Amino acid sequence: DTAVSQTPKYLVTQMGNDKSIKCEQNLGHDTMYWYKQDSKKFLKIMFSYNNKELIINETVPNRFSPKSPDKAHLNLHINSLELGDSAVYFCASSHSTEEAFFGQGTRLTVV
Amino acid sequence: SQKIEQNSEALNIQEGKTATLTCNYTNYSPAYLQWYRQDPGRGPVFLLLIRENEKEKRKERLKVTFDTTLKQSLFHITASQPADSATYLCAQGLGAGTYKYIFGTGTRLKVLA
């Protein structure tokens, strides 16, 4: 039973396309996050949701739009993909601000 | 803004020795610090959390300290094994209601057999 699952694991797409990454957690957590890990392995928060409400939006371009249909899901939609969007995107969840559980990551490559 | 610094250089140690990793924070006093392990191609996995009013926390061969005067946390792995080889990330928690963790860049540990 995977606690936090993301799909797809790998995503290769052309510049200008629109793509989505899905995330689901079965831990009953109230908070979910999207993090971006760049080529230097730096993990930076993008968004956090608490009880389906957007709490944190860390100066992410408007091309990135998270959506939380319910507390167990947080999806990330990216419009007009750019080369610089290539990275590994991690979804995570936690109960309040205790330990975070991460998904396995989605490696996005924009060509 | 909050900042977490870890020694970004790789740390190589001999099997059986104690590995010590450093995490320094600036500009803000975190309510707690967390340590995560990340293996290649995988997501970070939580290891330990230490709060600002705790000096030390242990879990099996792992020990974490929190020095608010030095603004530093040390992460120790005793009797290290090759299976401990991974990248270790320190994360700063800002407290209830903040809903984010600030991560350091991580330190890559390699335990040599």
Side-chain angles (χ1 to χ4, degrees):
Chain A
D1 286 345
T2 305
V4 181
S5 60
Q6 296 177 228
T7 54
K9 188 170 170 63
Y10 298 98
L11 186 52
V12 181
T13 188
Q14 290 190 326
M15 271 179 16
N17 283 352
D18 303 339
K19 290 292 176 187
S20 292
I21 307 171
K22 295 187 176 183
C23 178
E24 176 182 3
Q25 55 97 2
N26 62 5
L27 298 166
H29 288 160
D30 56 6
T31 306
M32 294 187 73
Y33 313 82
W34 277 108
Y35 277 85
K36 178 180 180 180
Q37 190 167 47
D38 60 25
S39 57
K40 295 184 179 178
K41 308 300 182 187
F42 181 57
L43 202 59
K44 186 173 181 189
I45 186 152
M46 300 173 68
F47 303 102
S48 69
Y49 271 73
N50 177 255
N51 289 317
K52 298 196 311 174
E53 285 194 34
L54 178 66
I55 303 295
I56 299 283
N57 180 341
E58 287 284 305
T59 60
V60 177
N62 290 339
R63 299 182 295 103
F64 290 79
S65 53
K67 288 213 170 30
S68 182
D70 55 58
K71 286 201 299 185
H73 295 84
L74 180 61
N75 303 324
L76 183 65
H77 188 76
I78 315 170
N79 289 328
S80 303
L81 278 155
E82 300 177 357
L83 293 176
D85 297 332
S86 296
V88 181
Y89 292 84
F90 285 100
C91 176
S93 73
S94 70
H95 175 64
S96 188
T97 47
E98 295 295 317
E99 64 189 88
F101 290 76
F102 283 79
Q104 80 276 24
T106 296
R107 181 173 293 278
L108 171 66
T109 303
V110 183
V111 297
Chain B
S1 62
Q2 307 90 7
K3 199 173 178 184
I4 286 273
E5 291 178 347
Q6 294 183 254
N7 188 345
S8 57
E9 293 179 14
L11 176 64
N12 293 338
I13 64 164
Q14 207 63 40
E15 182 178 8
K17 301 290 185 185
T18 296
T20 298
L21 284 63
T22 305
C23 173
N24 294 297
Y25 59 90
T26 58
N27 300 338
Y28 195 90
S29 294
Y32 55 85
L33 288 167
Q34 301 182 350
W35 285 88
Y36 290 79
R37 168 183 173 143
Q38 186 173 22
D39 292 286
R42 309 290 292 270
V45 175
F46 173 80
L47 296 174
L48 280 169
L49 179 153
I50 185 164
R51 301 184 191 282
E52 59 182 335
N53 61 350
E54 298 174 318
K55 291 244 185 281
E56 182 179 297
K57 207 79 167 284
R58 289 176 185 262
K59 179 182 174 183
E60 297 172 352
R61 294 184 297 110
L62 309 180
K63 184 177 86 170
V64 174
T65 62
F66 195 168
D67 189 325
T68 54
T69 303
L70 293 178
K71 296 191 174 184
Q72 183 180 81
S73 174
L74 297 179
F75 177 80
H76 307 272
I77 306 175
T78 57
S80 59
Q81 305 164 0
D84 295 326
S85 300
T87 296
Y88 291 86
L89 301 166
C90 174
Q92 178 188 74
L94 303 178
T98 54
Y99 302 107
K100 71 176 179 181
Y101 310 94
I102 308 294
F103 279 85
T105 49
T107 299
R108 193 166 72 250
L109 172 68
K110 187 168 183 180
V111 181
L112 306 168

